Amino acid sequence: MKFLVATASAVLFTLLKPHPASGATVPVTLDIINAVGAPDGFSRTMVTANGTYPGPLITANKGDTLVVTVNNKLTDDSMRMSTAMDFDGLFVDTANSFNEGSSFVTACPIAPNASYTYTIPLINDQTGTFWYHSQLSVQYVDGLRGALVVYDPEDPLADLYDVDDENTIWAVGDWWHNTSTSMLVTYVASGIVPVSDTGTFNGVGRFNGGPEVPFFVTNVVAGTRYRFRIINQSARNVFTMSVDSHNLTVIETDGTPTTPMTVNEIEMLAGQRYSVVLEANQPVDNYWINAPYTGGSPAVNLNQNATLARAILRYQGAPETDPTAPMSLGPAEAELNALVEANLRPLVAQAAPEPDINITLNLVVTAGRAQWNVNNVSYLPPSVPTLLKILDGADSASDFNVTENTFVLPANKTVQVIFPPSDDDEAHPFHLHGNNFWLVKSNTTDVVNTANPIRRDVAGVGAEGTIVRFSTNNPGPWFFHCHIFWHFQAGLATVMASGLDEIREQVHPTQAWDALCPAYDALPANLQ
């Protein structure tokens, strides 16, 4: 088995299939296997898609249908043996909600030696930058994550760039030497959220005292404009992206085309994605791509050195060496032009509808414990998935366990969710499944913008307070949770269940879906 992080300068992403003509069916096979790899020079057994970290790149065109067959071939019971796949950011309509992939919300996990095929039509002309990862517990910490891109053959911003392909994807993420299961045990015992060993860039990283793994290299040609799709595939870390001596023009936010905005630094929370245009307009040379990160105190894990999270932008004709400039955390203060999320505007302006329903979510940690609460409830996954309960007749909040933290909402309404300001020092990236939301008040401002807010599916919740609005015109039980997966596992999650009658009317799962829960429920604990 060839492990692709062995050579940092190689093209990292295995392209499963060139993206076909629009309206096509795109078959994808993901074999979920344990593989030994050393992204930062420390060798460990991982959970992977097709043997690589990150997993293979999935591509499609606007209007295509993804048919993703997941074969669970995991054998190492020191980690989770079952699995589930979530396609972060993709819209999923009501009738297809059983293929959305959220463990114990829309489906049961896939048992070992079993397979499941997710059929996902790309609806509403959605295009942009997405990713896939395990949605079972904190399993994707062990490596099960990869990029997913939906191209737009009629991209209204295409005149801003010359190159947009498998070589222009930058996937950053936190990496861990220990298994997710062992770290989860420690977290539960101590209440201290695990701190990563490394930050990786396209599967390559370094840690304090570790080997000098070659940095990933992005090759460019002078005079060419590149659309780089940046994905933060972390389970915790916040990455701050910049390129020495180069500007970045933001043109997409979580799948939403964005009015071009030129900056030189971008902060990215776990799960967030941006497309940026970089013009190779500097002297031929090697330049640092800086990707420093934060995510807990480095004193908790002495392997961590955020300055080592980086890659190289190499112009054609430059020597094959590291840049001569010192490693930095990004632009100097006097030159800093950082992205302010509140300043983002959609390419096509749309006012946020006035809300019909208001919900306030207060996020509180239980001191000294691995327990997060939303409105005094810590989410626990039910044994019977939320969707199955609805199909069996659940009609009100009382039909769900209190610990499912399920908000029952009518269809075809606008819901406003208010996250009050908090004194928590770590912003929580809240993510809505199957849909996106209007970000009417970003955590980066005190201004409420209902006239032309950006729409995205992951937004930070923290000190300044955040307000989002979403529509329930796409009924379903949609997970709405923190994308710091340690917090998610500790209960920082809700389910927004809208249009229960419409769900029963429109959702008709397959026999393969019906078989998932009995197979999973029959497993001994070590195989779940």
Side-chain angles (χ1 to χ4, degrees):
M1 179 185 302
K2 183 180 180 182
F3 189 71
L4 293 183
V5 299
T7 304
S9 60
V11 173
L12 175 75
F13 294 100
T14 302
L15 184 61
L16 284 175
K17 183 183 177 86
H19 45 278
S22 184
T25 296
V26 183
V28 174
T29 299
L30 298 178
D31 291 330
I32 311 306
I33 63 175
N34 296 116
V36 175
D40 62 359
F42 179 91
S43 182
R44 57 157 292 186
T45 302
M46 308 178 299
V47 176
T48 71
N50 296 3
T52 68
Y53 166 75
L57 168 65
I58 297 173
T59 68
N61 267 348
K62 178 171 65 178
D64 289 347
T65 296
L66 290 172
V67 180
V68 184
T69 299
V70 175
N71 301 311
N72 184 355
K73 299 182 179 183
L74 295 173
T75 56
D76 187 341
D77 66 2
S78 70
M79 294 173 282
R80 292 299 292 258
M81 292 276 285
S82 294
T83 195
M85 201 62 65
D86 176 50
F87 304 90
D88 248 32
L90 290 184
F91 296 150
V92 180
D93 65 15
T94 304
N96 199 40
S97 56
F98 66 93
N99 271 321
E100 192 272 326
S102 294
S103 294
F104 310 111
V105 176
T106 55
C108 280
I110 305 167
N113 300 312
S115 300
Y116 184 78
T117 297
Y118 300 90
T119 299
I120 307 172
L122 301 174
I123 61 173
N124 300 342
D125 287 335
Q126 187 180 31
T127 61
T129 307
F130 310 97
W131 63 301
Y132 62 91
H133 63 80
S134 169
Q135 188 69 35
L136 178 61
S137 183
V138 288
Q139 186 181 54
Y140 87 75
V141 164
D142 294 311
L144 184 44
R145 28 186 157 154
L148 191 161
V149 175
V150 180
Y151 292 99
D152 185 353
E154 302 169 319
D155 183 2
L157 294 169
D159 62 337
L160 298 182
Y161 57 87
D162 306 305
V163 180
D164 175 25
D165 60 22
E166 64 270 22
N167 297 309
T168 60
I169 293 170
W170 292 349
V172 294
D174 40 27
W175 186 247
W176 318 73
H177 292 175
N178 296 314
T179 63
S180 63
T181 45
S182 64
M183 290 188 290
L184 190 55
V185 169
T186 302
Y187 177 32
V188 170
S190 67
I192 299 173
V193 182
V195 173
S196 71
D197 295 277
T198 309
T200 59
F201 190 111
N202 284 357
V204 175
R206 292 185 183 182
F207 64 96
N208 275 335
E212 292 190 352
V213 176
F215 293 112
F216 186 87
V217 174
T218 291
N219 294 296
V220 297
V221 176
T224 305
R225 302 166 302 168
Y226 296 85
R227 176 178 181 160
F228 289 109
R229 297 173 182 267
I230 314 175
I231 308 168
N232 185 352
Q233 298 179 348
S234 291
R236 182 179 188 183
N237 289 357
V238 179
F239 279 80
T240 302
M241 307 298 298
S242 65
V243 182
D244 283 0
S245 303
H246 292 76
N247 287 325
L248 305 171
T249 299
V250 179
I251 61 169
E252 179 219 344
T253 302
D254 290 0
T256 297
T258 303
T259 299
M261 176 179 293
T262 299
V263 299
N264 61 12
E265 183 177 273
I266 300 174
E267 180 181 272
M268 300 184 66
L269 306 183
Q272 291 186 326
R273 296 93 59 203
Y274 289 102
S275 280
V276 301
V277 175
L278 179 147
E279 184 175 355
N281 58 6
Q282 296 298 304
V284 170
D285 206 344
N286 293 292
Y287 297 87
W288 288 120
I289 306 170
N290 308 298
Y293 58 90
T294 59
S297 171
V300 176
N301 188 339
L302 298 181
N303 284 338
Q304 188 177 107
N305 184 343
T307 306
L308 296 177
R310 59 187 53 252
I312 297 171
L313 187 78
R314 175 167 295 152
Y315 277 66
Q316 185 180 71
E320 294 186 5
T321 61
D322 288 355
T324 55
M327 295 182 186
S328 74
L329 299 179
E333 188 68 30
E335 302 167 350
L336 183 61
N337 178 25
L339 174 67
V340 177
E341 181 186 52
N343 293 339
L344 290 167
R345 295 292 181 268
L347 185 64
V348 179
Q350 180 187 27
E354 288 300 306
D356 303 298
I357 299 166
N358 285 281
I359 298 172
T360 298
L361 298 182
N362 289 290
L363 316 181
V364 178
V365 66
T366 303
R369 296 181 59 189
Q371 183 182 65
W372 275 92
N373 309 278
V374 182
N375 293 359
N376 299 314
V377 176
S378 184
Y379 178 86
L380 290 174
S383 56
V384 177
T386 309
L387 178 58
L388 183 53
K389 289 185 178 182
I390 294 169
L391 295 177
D392 285 344
D395 242 355
S396 67
S398 62
D399 292 325
F400 303 95
N401 303 332
V402 171
T403 52
E404 289 179 70
N405 220 353
T406 297
F407 292 77
V408 175
L409 305 166
N412 301 312
K413 300 295 183 182
T414 298
V415 179
Q416 177 166 273
V417 181
I418 301 168
F419 295 91
S422 75
D423 56 4
D424 189 24
D425 62 357
E426 188 166 20
H428 299 282
F430 254 70
H431 170 54
L432 180 63
H433 283 228
N435 306 265
N436 62 14
F437 47 73
W438 292 273
L439 181 59
V440 300
K441 183 192 173 300
S442 166
N443 190 50
T444 62
T445 184
D446 58 3
V447 176
V448 173
N449 171 23
T450 60
N452 57 351
I454 195 70
R455 294 185 74 165
R456 66 183 315 165
D457 56 74
V458 184
V461 174
E464 299 300 322
T466 302
I467 302 174
V468 305
R469 294 179 187 173
F470 64 88
S471 172
T472 62
N473 64 2
N474 181 36
W478 307 119
F479 233 165
F480 188 39
H481 63 81
C482 179
H483 222 298
I484 297 174
F485 257 51
W486 302 106
H487 293 170
F488 161 72
Q489 179 66 21
L492 199 51
T494 67
V495 177
M496 297 293 163
S498 58
L500 305 193
D501 288 336
E502 287 81 358
I503 292 171
R504 282 186 282 271
E505 209 173 279
Q506 297 180 42
V507 178
H508 305 287
T510 60
Q511 288 185 340
W513 184 89
D514 289 336
L516 288 172
C517 286
Y520 180 81
D521 293 342
L523 295 171
N526 68 311
L527 296 182
Q528 287 187 337

